Amino acid sequence: MTTLISQLINLFAAVILMLSFAMLAQRRILSLIHLFALQGLAVVGATTVVAYVTDQHHLYYSAALTLALKVFLIPWLLHRLIDRLNVRWDIETLINIPSTMLIGIVLVVFAFNLALPISQLSAAITRGTLGIALASVLLSFMMMIIRSKAVPQVIGFLAMENGLFFAATSATHGMPMVVELGIALDVLVGVFILGVFMFQIREQFDSLDIRHLENLKED
Amino acid sequence: MILGGLSIDWALFVIAVWLVLGLLGLAALRRFELVARVLFPLGALAGLVLAFAAVQGLLSTPEVAVLPIGLPQLPFHLRLDPLAAFFLFVIGAAGCGISLFAAGYFRKGEGTPPGLLCFEYHLFLASMALVVLADDAYAFMVAWESMALSSYFLVTTNHKVPEIRAAGFLYLLIAHVGAIAILLCFGVLQANTGDYTFANMRIQQLSPFWASAAFLLAVFGFGAKAGVLPLHVWLPEAHPAAPSPVSALMSGVMLKTAIYGLLRVGFDLLHLQLWWWGVLLLALGLATALFGVVFATVQSDMKRLLAYSSIENIGLLLAAIGLALVFRAYGMTALAALALTACLYHVASHAFFKSLLFLTTGSVLHATGERNLGHLGGLMRFMPWVAWLALIGVFASSGLPPFSGFVSEWLLLQSFLFTPGLPDSFLNMLIPLAAAAVALTAALAGYAMVKFFGVIFLGQPREEKLRQAHDAGMQEKAGMLWLAAWCVALGLLPNLMIRFIDPVTEKLVGQGLAQQAAANGWWLLTPTSIERASYGPLFFLLGVAAACAIAFVLVRLFYHGRLRRAAPWGCGYPWLTPRMQDTAEGYGQPIRQIFEPFFRLERQLPAPADRQPFYQVMVSDRFWHGVYLPIARAVEFLAALVGRLQQGRIATYLLYSFLTLLFMLLMVPGVKK
């Protein structure tokens, strides 16, 4: 039973990592949102399993919260946003996709190496997944860096939060409920603010390309 | 006892009065009559009370007070000892005259509202008094900074002029660099005890290395405020930019707070004195003095000329302090007392005559609207009061007997004459050179002052509009008369003044001068012994008066009323026009030639075929091009390097945080194993 469950958790973790890579490689914004929702779903699955194993009820709540927020509400908000902004494409990345994937692999190796001593100390059932969580944080961060449009950057930011949440679950069986509620609310508010911000950028430059912001620099 | 009660209470009362007057000025922002006719004269009265309180404090034992203001657990410690009292006296007495003048000086409708000026002015006065009274580093720095800030706003009164804004910025910048050094100096002085009261600093026994560090920081910090050589560039820009009463206050009084700080740290807070500190100060002081006076002689703006002359006087003060340090380090307290007395005497004397001279330039400026010497001239006939009062200031400034400047410079030279008694042969050889430099400075100061007075007041008016110049008003005259009276009194009654300086020197170097000085009667000043040197100012006064009277009578008898014949061949000019007079530039030209290495001259010569030839010489400061501009360029270069980080691209900024994150993760000790 335990091996099955740990295999299950590892499976979810692997899915999360795969989805992170998929998001890194994805050029279309619509698909990106779908991938993000899927990643959210995987995190929910992993959290539920951990909650079942460790018998911690508050993890069920946070899984439910994540489900509502990251699988339904935020993707729906993002859908509306790109409809109203009329952007469905994001073809430009600053670095081409294959090199991005290579850098991504290096980051994953780095994250695993970093997590190794920590997971050796831990006796938790989820100990193998810390490296994956860290890797998905780094990969999302890199996605924020290489995308030049505003919407994918926001998605990168949200995916990074997914990774953090997963790290918290896998390393310490979740953060205290208050902290999780706070973070969830922050993410929601962040999405709203960034949405407003994107409208402003488009009004100012007639485009969502954030490279236009360079013009604001004083010379 | 003149006032009764504790002197420090009176001093605090005066500070409170000044602050209240300032706030009233803010309340009556644009009510010109109220500000000029009531608030400023009241401020002058408060200054007078402060002077009396200071004299009373000078003669009594030190008094302390603790004001529970500021941060919790960190009250203001105040202390009125003889050193503080002497400088309070200077602030009060000079401030009284300047405030009286200011009451008549500020005019309606001159940009800044009068109430605001009144606020800044009185805040400035109050903070200067508080600097002197402060007995812990916290109170000192608070007062020091409010002094710098209030004077900055006074300097930039005419902030619509770009040059004045630039001058104000330069002043603020150097003042703050200096303030940091002073703060560090206090940090060294408290010797890791965490107690920043001066009482604690006095009992600390620093090693010679740390004591030297503290002293050098103090020289840098207070030197920045005083305008010592490499840090002087703000002074000739900022002092002329301010309205004249403020220039007077800054030059005459504020510079003295820096001297006060140096004396406080060097003689009071530090428990030991090393001889090379004195030599350093002596060299710095003499370089500053010579530099200042040489630049003063070539200026063609009257206020800049006076500002450079202030640099010169600060240099002399510094040299006197240096000499006192040398004597003190070798344990020759009597001579240290002599040099210190010369310094303090000059502090008072310079405060009065330089304030007076700046005030006269204010009157001239109001009457004519000109500050360029090239457009002035012949004002003695139209403004006799101002001219005669300026003459007194000029005499005092050039160190002529029987005025105040002579006494201090004479005492200084006397103390130089005793350096052969020093046990160090190296110093014995060098210090006579220093004495020669002092003499040269004094002579050149006279030259500069002749230029100042002669070009403004004598000869014929260089412009037609000068004939409409009017004399100063009642309050202005009263203020200048008060200062001029002090110039004369300090010159005529040196022994009386030295009696009041004595408590200070007794406290700082352990010996006084008054008994010896007045040993042969109150009318004869004998600083060492009657055989070596003596000075009876009254005899000089009589002698000068007699010589003048005889000359006057002889001229009346033999020359006046005779038939005058014109020269047969007048170079084609039958009469003298104002353009034939010696100009300010022409008068300074020999100095410009002789001291050419001091200046950075930029000449513009006309082409040989030029129909309208135009000749121009720009005299500027070598330090500006040699020290300040390279520093500014280095700062700009470094800032541009930092600016490269700021690409303006979000991706780049994100990359910075990403790399930082990776770096921090690498630093996690578990990874290294």
Side-chain angles (χ1 to χ4, degrees), chain A residues 50-62:
Chain A
V50 172
Y52 173 70
V53 176
T54 57
D55 206 19
Q56 291 188 5
H57 290 286
H58 78 95
L59 277 181
Y60 286 119
Y61 301 134
S62 56

Side-chain angles (χ1 to χ4, degrees), chain A residues 94 107 110 113-114 116-117 120 134 137-139 141-142 144-147 153 210-211 213-214 217, chain B residues 643-644 646-658 661-663 665-666 668 670-671 673:
Chain A
L94 297 176
L107 285 180
F110 175 75
N113 189 34
L114 192 71
L116 196 62
Q120 273 170 354
L134 207 54
V137 169
L138 293 180
L139 288 173
F141 203 152
M142 195 168 79
M144 283 177 77
I145 295 176
I146 61 167
R147 296 303 172 109
Q153 281 201 325
I210 47 164
R211 277 178 288 185
L213 291 182
E214 288 172 35
K217 188 184 155 203
Chain B
R644 282 189 173 186
Q646 307 282 348
Q647 295 278 350
R649 286 165 67 166
I650 291 186
T652 322
Y653 293 127
L654 286 172
L655 191 64
Y656 292 151
S657 20
F658 188 62
L661 179 66
L662 287 187
F663 179 74
L665 286 173
L666 268 179
V668 174
V671 181
K673 264 185 297 216

Side-chain angles (χ1 to χ4, degrees), chain B residues 261-587:
Chain B
L262 206 53
L263 288 175
R264 175 67 79 196
V265 171
F267 285 93
D268 186 24
L269 299 184
L270 283 169
H271 67 100
L272 83 170
Q273 282 87 28
L274 301 178
W275 66 268
W276 64 265
W277 300 356
V279 176
L280 175 79
L281 275 194
L282 196 58
L284 260 183
L286 288 175
T288 306
L290 203 58
F291 175 88
V293 75
V294 167
F295 267 80
T297 53
V298 299
Q299 296 307 311
S300 43
D301 176 320
M302 57 181 178
K303 288 180 85 173
R304 274 180 88 91
L305 189 153
L306 292 182
Y308 274 112
S309 154
S310 289
I311 296 182
E312 170 234 326
N313 282 292
I314 284 294
L316 287 182
L317 289 175
L318 226 56
I321 297 177
L323 207 57
L325 271 173
V326 171
F327 285 132
R328 169 97 177 119
Y330 284 112
M332 301 156 80
T333 47
L335 295 175
L338 176 60
L340 203 58
T341 305
C343 170
L344 292 171
Y345 210 110
H346 201 61
V347 163
S349 151
H350 181 243
F352 293 121
F353 72 68
K354 190 48 62 69
S355 305
L356 174 61
L357 287 177
F358 263 116
L359 295 185
T360 58
T361 63
S363 290
V364 169
L365 195 60
H366 259 181
T368 63
E370 280 296 342
R371 33 192 283 189
N372 191 333
L373 292 172
H375 299 288
L376 293 166
L379 286 177
M380 196 154 195
R381 261 174 289 162
F382 314 112
M383 319 177 65
W385 274 88
V386 175
W388 281 102
L389 290 169
L391 190 62
I392 292 177
V394 160
F395 279 153
S397 177
S398 24
L400 290 184
F403 294 93
S404 61
F406 176 79
V407 181
S408 46
E409 283 181 17
W410 186 71
L411 285 175
L412 181 61
L413 278 171
Q414 285 298 323
S415 51
F416 268 109
L417 292 182
F418 288 98
T419 48
L422 284 173
D424 189 318
S425 59
F426 176 64
L427 288 182
N428 277 337
M429 282 186 288
L430 281 185
I431 288 184
L433 288 178
V438 169
L440 176 64
T441 306
L444 285 173
Y447 190 88
M449 283 301 139
V450 169
K451 169 174 172 173
F452 174 78
F453 188 79
V455 176
I456 297 179
F457 293 106
L458 301 182
Q460 296 184 21
R462 289 183 175 77
E463 303 223 330
E464 206 44 47
K465 66 175 179 186
L466 299 185
R467 294 183 190 280
Q468 270 82 53
H470 54 86
D471 213 344
M474 269 307 292
Q475 288 107 326
E476 296 177 54
K477 272 184 215 162
M480 288 190 285
L481 264 177
W482 166 260
L483 294 170
W486 276 102
C487 289
V488 176
L490 287 187
L492 288 183
L493 303 167
N495 280 331
L496 197 64
M497 185 66 188
I498 287 172
R499 187 142 30 105
F500 287 109
I501 293 178
D502 244 27
V504 187
T505 53
E506 252 163 35
K507 180 154 176 310
L508 295 189
V509 296
Q511 195 166 342
L513 189 69
Q515 210 178 1
Q516 171 59 41
N520 295 289
W522 62 270
W523 36 268
L524 200 62
L525 177 62
T526 50
T528 45
S529 66
I530 186 118
E531 292 81 22
R532 283 201 74 130
S534 63
Y535 166 58
L538 289 177
F539 301 134
F540 265 96
L541 181 65
L542 289 179
V544 170
C548 286
I550 290 167
F552 183 75
V553 168
L554 286 180
V555 167
R556 282 301 271 213
L557 277 182
F558 295 109
Y559 185 74
H560 210 77
R562 295 277 181 98
L563 195 61
R564 285 181 70 182
R565 294 173 196 278
W569 187 66
C571 290
Y573 293 100
W575 53 78
L576 214 61
T577 71
R579 280 184 56 79
M580 292 177 190
Q581 302 175 85
D582 203 356
T583 59
E585 289 76 21
Y587 190 81

Side-chain angles (χ1 to χ4, degrees), chain B residues 120-137:
Chain B
E120 293 160 359
Y121 179 90
H122 285 107
L123 183 65
F124 187 34
L125 277 176
S127 48
M128 281 194 290
L130 203 58
V131 162
V132 171
L133 279 177
D135 195 38
D136 66 284

Side-chain angles (χ1 to χ4, degrees), chain A residues 10-51:
Chain A
N10 284 346
L11 175 67
F12 278 122
V15 168
I16 290 172
L17 187 61
M18 288 305 291
L19 285 171
S20 290
F21 269 106
M23 284 161 81
L24 207 55
Q26 185 52 257
R27 292 167 182 232
R28 296 179 54 178
I29 294 179
L30 202 60
S31 315
L32 208 55
I33 295 173
H34 291 151
L35 288 174
F36 169 68
L38 274 178
Q39 197 188 33
L41 203 59
V43 172
V44 170
T47 316
T48 318
V49 172
V50 172

Side-chain angles (χ1 to χ4, degrees), chain A residues 161-175:
Chain A
E161 210 278 326
N162 268 347
L164 273 179
F165 182 78
F166 185 56
T169 320
S170 57
T172 61
H173 298 315
M175 294 174 262

Side-chain angles (χ1 to χ4, degrees), chain B residues 199-214:
Chain B
N200 175 51
M201 294 178 192
R202 274 185 201 103
I203 54 172
Q204 296 304 325
Q205 301 280 323
L206 296 174
S207 66
F209 173 76
W210 284 111
S212 303

